[in-house]
Amino acid sequence: MIPTVIETTDQRMLEIVNKVRNGERLTLEDGVYLYESDDILTIGQLANEVNLRKNGKKVYFIENMTLYFTNVCESHCAFCNFRRDEGEDGAYTLSGEEMIAYVEQHIHPGVREFHITGGHNQHVPFQYYVDSLKALHEHYPEVTIKAYTAAEIEFFTRISGMSTKEVLMALQQAGLKSLTGGGAEILSDQYRQKMKVEKANVDQYLDVHRTAHQLGMKTHTTMLYGAIESHEDRVRHMTQIRELQDETGGFMVFIPLSMQPRNKNAGIMRRNSAFEDLKTIAISRLMLDNIQHIKAYFINIGVQLTQMALAFGASDVHGTLVRERISHAAGANTPEGLTRKELIWLIKGAGRIPVERDTFYNEIEVHE
C-alpha cells in the first residue's frame, strides 16, 4: 500500500504533489522550490511514494571491492585530497601484478564487482590502463569490472590520440563492463572553473556516457554537492542527466555524493547537514523520473542516515566496498566498508527487503 503524503496548506507544494501523482514531469522551477522549502517531511514522503511505486520495498546492495591503481593525477581539483604528483610522498602506481597481489590479500568470497577509479596519471601510456583491466579480468573472470569515470575516459582520449568510442572499445575488449559515475561533480562549466575541475567539461562528461550507452554499456552517474553551487545548479545538473537518459536509457542509478571537508576532524559546520543530505536524495528521486534507482552512499552520509534515506526515496545502499579511499582522503569519518551481514541488517532495520544484486541490478538473492 502506498502511504499518503502529509497534508499541507502550501499551494505550490500541493501543485507539485499533484504533478508527481499524475505522472507529470517536474520542472527546473519545481526542483528549486523543493530545495528552498523546509517541508522535508512532505518532500520525503512524496519521494518515498515514487520509490515504492518503482521498486516496492526492495533495497539493493552488491558485494564489491574498490581498487585504485594510481593516485598520481595531472588535475588539481579544489575538493580532492586523494591525488598526488609523481614522486610526491605517498604517490603510487601499481602494476597489474601488484594489484592482483593486493586483491588476493583482501578479497572475500562472494565479491561480484571491482569498482575501479583513480588518478589521471599522464606518466604512463593508455595501454597501462588497458593492461590493468586485462590482468584483473584474466585472474578473476567471474568478477564484473566497473571501471573509470567519464573524466578518466576523456583523459585517455588525450594521451592516446584515440576517439572516445575507440577508447571504450579497447577497454571493453580488456574486460570493461560498466563505467563508474564519478567525474560529474556539478554539471556547470562555471562551477567547474571556480572549483578548478581540471578535467572533462560538461559536454565531454555527457558525451562519454552517451557513447558508452551506444556501445551497449549501462552506466552510473553522480552529483557532488555541498560546495559553492546554488540549488538551481543542482537541479540543472539533474535535468541534464534526465535529458540524456531520455535519449539513451543507459543510466542505472543516480548517486548524490555529499561533499567531504578534506579533514576527518572538521566540525559539523564544514559538513553538509543531515537535512540537506536527505532533501537532496528525495529531490533526486522526484526529478529523475526516468532512472530506476537513487543510491544512498553510506561512505559520505554515514550508516544511520543511509538507513533513514530509505524512507526518502533511496533504493540502493551501494556495497561492501572493502577499503574505500577517495572520500576518506577527503575527510569522510565513516566506515571504509561494510560486511554483507551489516548491509542486510541496515536495510531490514528500515523495514525494507534486502536484495543482493549484480552490477546490472539482476537479483542474486532476496532476503525476506
Side-chain angles (χ1 to χ4, degrees):
M1 180 178 177
I2 301 296
T4 302
V5 173
I6 291 176
E7 293 185 7
T8 175
T9 58
D10 182 335
Q11 189 60 41
R12 183 75 175 87
M13 185 68 76
L14 282 172
E15 291 173 4
I16 292 174
V17 170
N18 289 331
K19 286 179 74 170
V20 170
R21 288 181 162 173
N22 291 327
E24 296 179 41
R25 175 163 282 183
L26 297 187
T27 64
L28 173 70
E29 292 75 21
D30 292 331
V32 173
Y33 183 84
L34 291 174
Y35 258 118
E36 293 177 352
S37 169
D38 62 0
D39 189 358
I40 192 171
L41 293 181
T42 296
I43 297 168
Q45 288 192 59
L46 189 60
N48 185 48
E49 183 175 316
V50 170
N51 179 49
L52 289 174
R53 284 204 206 102
K54 282 183 174 289
N55 300 298
K57 287 196 169 185
K58 290 182 175 179
V59 173
Y60 295 81
F61 73 94
I62 188 170
E63 290 208 64
N64 63 350
M65 185 174 184
T66 54
L67 303 178
Y68 312 89
F69 275 91
T70 181
N71 64 351
V72 175
C73 190
E74 67 171 9
S75 300
H76 297 76
C77 303
F79 48 80
C80 183
N81 206 38
F82 175 75
R83 69 160 310 282
R84 295 291 185 273
D85 289 321
E86 178 83 349
E88 183 182 351
D89 186 39
Y92 69 88
T93 301
L94 302 182
S95 67
E97 292 72 20
E98 289 171 324
M99 181 56 78
I100 288 166
Y102 171 85
V103 172
E104 288 291 337
Q105 288 182 332
H106 296 92
I107 198 169
H108 56 79
V111 167
R112 298 181 182 279
E113 174 188 278
F114 291 136
H115 177 109
I116 303 169
T117 56
H120 300 189
N121 186 346
Q122 73 275 36
H123 301 286
V124 293
F126 172 57
Q127 192 62 40
Y128 164 81
Y129 297 94
V130 175
D131 291 342
S132 297
L133 298 193
K134 188 176 180 180
L136 282 175
H137 183 57
E138 289 176 348
H139 280 79
Y140 303 97
E142 74 285 359
V143 181
T144 300
I145 294 178
K146 180 182 75 178
Y148 305 136
T149 66
E152 285 172 277
I153 300 299
E154 187 278 328
F155 166 69
F156 296 158
T157 66
R158 287 189 282 110
I159 64 172
S160 69
M162 298 164 66
S163 68
T164 298
K165 183 177 181 180
E166 289 169 337
V167 164
L168 288 170
M169 290 177 68
L171 293 171
Q172 281 182 304
Q173 291 175 359
L176 179 69
K177 299 299 183 184
S178 179
L179 297 182
T180 68
E185 323 315 355
I186 293 292
L187 293 176
S188 158
D189 286 327
Q190 182 179 21
Y191 167 95
R192 298 168 97 76
Q193 183 177 9
K194 288 182 178 179
M195 290 296 289
K196 298 181 180 178
V197 183
E198 299 173 345
K199 50 189 177 183
N201 63 30
V202 173
D203 288 341
Q204 289 168 331
Y205 178 89
L206 295 171
D207 185 62
V208 167
H209 282 279
R210 179 183 290 107
T211 305
H213 298 166
Q214 291 169 347
L215 289 172
M217 274 195 275
K218 298 290 187 179
T219 68
H220 308 67
T221 188
T222 62
M223 178 181 74
L224 182 66
Y225 65 93
I228 62 171
E229 80 282 354
S230 66
H231 290 154
E232 182 174 336
D233 288 333
R234 296 183 195 177
V235 181
R236 285 192 183 280
H237 178 110
M238 295 177 198
T239 58
Q240 289 180 87
I241 295 298
R242 189 172 69 183
E243 289 168 4
L244 181 55
Q245 182 73 344
D246 281 341
E247 178 186 335
T248 67
F251 290 122
M252 296 181 287
V253 60
F254 181 78
I255 311 157
L257 298 174
S258 186
M259 179 77 79
Q260 302 302 300
R262 300 187 71 174
N263 184 344
K264 289 181 184 294
N265 298 318
I268 61 172
M269 293 176 64
R270 296 282 305 281
R271 299 178 184 272
N272 287 322
S273 69
F275 195 94
E276 193 74 2
D277 288 333
L278 288 177
K279 187 188 284 189
T280 296
I281 287 169
I283 294 171
S284 299
R285 178 64 286 164
L286 294 171
M287 292 298 300
L288 294 165
D289 50 45
N290 56 1
I291 293 181
Q292 190 70 23
H293 298 286
I294 303 298
K295 183 176 292 186
Y297 190 46
F298 71 84
I299 290 292
N300 285 31
I301 66 174
V303 173
Q304 290 172 307
L305 197 60
T306 293
Q307 193 175 49
M308 287 296 298
L310 303 183
F312 281 74
S315 58
D316 188 286
V317 294
H318 203 46
T320 49
L321 290 176
V322 188
R323 298 193 67 191
E324 192 281 338
R325 295 186 190 177
I326 292 178
S327 289
H328 284 89
N333 54 13
T334 56
E336 293 182 341
L338 293 175
T339 66
R340 183 170 178 270
K341 287 184 177 179
E342 287 172 330
L343 288 168
I344 292 170
W345 171 88
L346 182 153
I347 295 166
K348 284 188 172 181
R352 302 296 164 116
I353 301 169
V355 180
E356 186 175 351
R357 63 172 175 86
D358 66 9
T359 299
F360 308 103
Y361 286 87
N362 297 308
E363 296 183 3
I364 306 301
E365 185 175 357
V366 179
H367 300 269
E368 295 282 2

